[in-house]
Amino acid sequence: ASSSRTRAKHGTVVARLTRIMAHSLATAGATYAGAALTGRRAPAGRVAVRGSSLKVRAADATAEFDPRTFRRELSKSGKYNRKFLKDEESAKKMEDDGIGYSKSGLVAKMRENSNVHVDGDVTFKLAEAYGFCWGVERAVQMAYEAKKQFPDANLWITNEIIHNPTVNDRLGEMGVQFIEETADGKDFSGCKEGEVVILPAFGASVHEMKLLNDKGVNIVDTTCPWVSKVWNAVDAHTRKEFTSIIHGKWAHEETIATASFAKTYLVVKDMKEAQYVCDYVLEGGDREEFLAKFKNAYSEGFDPDTDLSALGIANQTTMLKGETEAIGKLLEKTMMQKHGVDKLNDHYMVMDTICDATQERQDAMYALVDDKPDMMLVVGGFNSSNTSHLQEISEDASIPSFWVDTYARLDADTNTITHRLAHGELVETKDWLPAGKVTIGVTSGASTPDKVVEDVIDVIMATKKKMSGAPAR
């Protein structure tokens, strides 16, 4: 049942991501903004997502909720754990389940052979950096460790542990239950005192943490330390009364969590949106047009005429490194033009929040593109932001690129592949593998186990053998 629930979640990703979590806790002096849009409070035990907005509005101006103070107090409680035990038995089970690093499979052999594998007419070239990053491996293993540590307890997880269907299916098969998301919001009513709730690698909002703490559950926090670093950055912005400019996708779970730690924020998706903001800072503009353009992507009460005078930059860790840096430089230049070089520190703040793993995989993809393979294979969950950017790099280089999430997207009998483009379109391509010799560059997103890549490569090799009339292995 858990596995089928997980698969159902993947079937409704687009619908789910068009809604955005808008919430706070009544106990923290706030009401759920999504429920406020409908004129009622969210049901007890639910976090509202109704209404497409990140906004949280204060219900009681006298009741202040400090996310940093709450996190500190939570970390001292006996029902909160974010320690990575590095348990060897759990790591071995991950490997046996096919959701860890390859130690003896084809990907492992490629690493031993200069990241190259030749099979008949096909040459596979593996990127120097690819697949599971440390933060993802840590999160998944912590979930396995939680199952071992609490063998008889009901285990829940607030969202997908990572953006990969294979991994989430495995957790479902282990009995981990996924918090149901309904039209009224995430339904936490099934979580009872003493049960275990896992927070995913990309984190959870501070308001979800508060709700879970109030329910008396045991929290296992697998949030990647790089994501936590971004939270610290927006907290620093808040304490200086700066507006956080978050480079990210407003509907992405990580950005939702990050925004919950900020007081005043604006989410920008790309350089084009950042330029619009900077033009408004320097030249002013139509306030209503601004608010309409960034609908869903700013804090409650945000006013571009008053909230863009002091800015700090943060980012969703899976965004393109180069674009985050370019947006930061643009904001810095804009604030110098507006306020003068001598006043820059009073109006602009930057902290390094770019994830090393994301950077390494993107740099490796650029290097692979420079080798000019005949085509590119990108393997990763279709709702994985970091994987979409790897696909984007290849598309921008005009290399035929095929992004798949599992081997099931390939049909060896018909030489057909169903694949996703960088900006979301799912397409089917017939006769995608050419006859004769072909070099295929291979990479995978930071949430992709090596076994998933190996399974896809196996189908490609089987397809080529069918094309040549040779028996598949």
Side-chain angles (χ1 to χ4, degrees):
S2 296
S3 181
S4 63
R5 182 185 297 124
T6 307
R7 284 190 289 272
K9 284 167 67 69
H10 286 281
T12 58
V13 164
V14 174
R16 178 170 61 82
L17 290 184
T18 59
R19 302 192 304 274
I20 191 68
M21 189 174 300
H23 58 272
S24 189
L25 297 174
T27 53
T31 189
Y32 297 121
L37 291 174
T38 66
R40 60 183 176 82
R41 284 184 178 273
R46 293 180 188 243
V47 174
V49 294
R50 178 171 299 223
S52 52
S53 173
L54 283 167
K55 302 169 188 174
V56 175
R57 69 176 179 84
D60 181 355
T62 64
E64 292 293 334
F65 177 62
D66 184 353
R68 181 170 71 169
T69 299
F70 169 73
R71 284 177 65 197
R72 286 178 175 174
E73 292 302 316
L74 180 64
S75 67
K76 298 174 185 176
S77 74
K79 290 184 174 291
Y80 174 86
N81 173 50
R82 64 171 301 170
K83 186 176 182 181
F84 180 28
L85 301 177
K86 302 180 182 178
D87 177 66
E88 292 184 4
E89 184 178 332
S90 298
K92 178 64 166 58
K93 181 164 176 52
M94 283 175 59
E95 182 182 355
D96 293 343
D97 288 348
I99 58 171
Y101 287 112
S102 175
K103 295 183 179 179
S104 58
L106 180 58
V107 169
K109 293 174 181 177
M110 292 176 75
R111 289 197 298 263
E112 296 171 357
N113 191 41
S114 302
N115 284 28
V116 173
H117 176 73
V118 179
D119 185 79
D121 285 341
V122 188
T123 298
F124 297 95
K125 290 188 175 182
L126 183 66
E128 286 296 325
Y130 63 91
F132 258 18
C133 65
W134 172 80
V136 162
E137 180 192 26
R138 170 185 177 275
V140 177
Q141 187 167 331
M142 284 181 70
Y144 270 69
E145 291 172 352
K147 180 63 177 177
K148 180 180 177 181
Q149 187 177 358
F150 300 96
D152 300 320
N154 282 333
L155 266 68
W156 302 83
I157 188 164
T158 62
N159 215 311
E160 298 171 348
I161 183 78
I162 58 175
H163 286 151
N164 185 273
T166 302
V167 174
N168 291 298
D169 280 349
R170 291 289 184 273
L171 292 183
E173 291 162 4
M174 287 167 52
V176 178
Q177 302 173 76
F178 291 78
I179 297 295
E180 183 180 2
E181 189 169 302
T182 71
D184 287 325
K186 287 186 180 179
D187 185 359
F188 289 89
S189 62
C191 303
K192 307 302 182 185
E193 183 176 358
E195 294 182 343
V196 179
V197 179
I198 300 168
L199 308 184
F202 41 74
S205 76
V206 68
H207 313 298
E208 286 185 5
M209 296 183 196
K210 179 70 167 63
L211 183 148
L212 293 170
N213 183 60
D214 289 347
K215 289 178 73 71
V217 303
N218 293 290
I219 298 174
V220 176
D221 187 355
T222 77
T223 303
C224 174
W226 277 100
V227 175
S228 298
K229 187 176 181 181
V230 179
W231 296 352
N232 292 336
V234 298
D235 178 74
H237 303 161
T238 295
R239 299 198 176 272
K240 288 191 69 173
E241 298 187 347
F242 278 36
T243 293
S244 294
I245 302 296
I246 304 172
H247 176 215
K249 301 172 183 178
W250 61 262
H252 191 282
E253 296 93 330
E254 182 187 323
T255 297
I256 295 169
T258 296
S260 77
F261 288 94
K263 183 177 181 181
T264 307
Y265 61 85
L266 176 69
V267 181
V268 297
K269 181 178 65 175
D270 51 30
M271 192 65 174
K272 183 178 180 180
E273 289 191 351
Q275 185 66 62
Y276 182 95
V277 173
C278 290
D279 288 345
Y280 195 96
V281 169
L282 294 175
E283 303 167 10
D286 187 325
R287 179 178 180 276
E288 297 308 314
E289 177 187 281
F290 186 106
L291 294 175
K293 180 178 180 63
F294 290 99
K295 180 182 177 182
N296 310 320
Y298 50 76
S299 50
E300 178 70 16
F302 178 86
D303 186 342
D305 292 335
T306 58
D307 290 328
L308 295 176
S309 64
L311 307 176
I313 187 169
N315 65 297
Q316 182 182 312
T317 59
T318 56
M319 300 301 282
L320 283 170
K321 165 203 171 187
E323 189 168 49
T324 296
E325 292 177 333
I327 289 172
K329 290 177 181 176
L330 175 63
L331 291 173
E332 181 181 45
K333 178 182 177 182
T334 299
M335 301 315 276
M336 283 193 290
Q337 286 181 250
K338 179 73 174 180
H339 303 285
V341 176
D342 58 327
K343 297 289 182 62
L344 179 63
N345 290 339
D346 295 330
H347 296 275
Y348 180 68
M349 182 178 181
V350 61
M351 298 171 65
D352 181 10
T353 59
I354 294 175
C355 170
D356 284 346
T358 299
Q359 174 182 333
E360 289 165 0
R361 279 148 188 75
Q362 291 172 4
D363 289 347
M365 187 60 163
Y366 282 116
L368 195 57
V369 162
D370 288 343
D371 283 345
K372 301 189 183 309
D374 298 312
M375 60 177 57
M376 197 76 73
L377 176 68
V378 179
V379 185
F382 282 166
N383 58 339
S384 166
S385 178
N386 77 85
T387 307
S388 73
H389 291 304
L390 297 177
Q391 172 72 9
E392 185 179 352
I393 291 169
S394 184
E395 289 182 9
D396 287 347
S398 299
I399 296 175
S401 188
F402 301 88
W403 172 13
V404 298
D405 56 350
T406 72
Y407 73 92
R409 301 291 180 179
L410 295 83
D411 188 328
D413 293 328
T414 62
N415 188 18
T416 301
I417 186 170
T418 302
H419 57 105
R420 189 171 183 181
L421 305 182
H423 298 291
E425 183 182 358
L426 194 65
V427 298
E428 181 181 277
T429 302
K430 298 181 183 297
D431 299 320
W432 76 284
L433 280 175
K437 293 185 178 295
V438 62
T439 297
I440 303 176
V442 180
T443 191
S444 54
S447 298
T448 308
D450 289 349
K451 182 64 165 59
V452 177
V453 178
E454 292 170 350
D455 289 344
V456 173
I457 291 176
D458 283 344
V459 178
I460 292 174
M461 293 190 295
T463 303
K464 286 293 286 184
K465 284 180 169 56
K466 285 180 178 290
M467 292 169 64
S468 65
R473 290 185 297 181

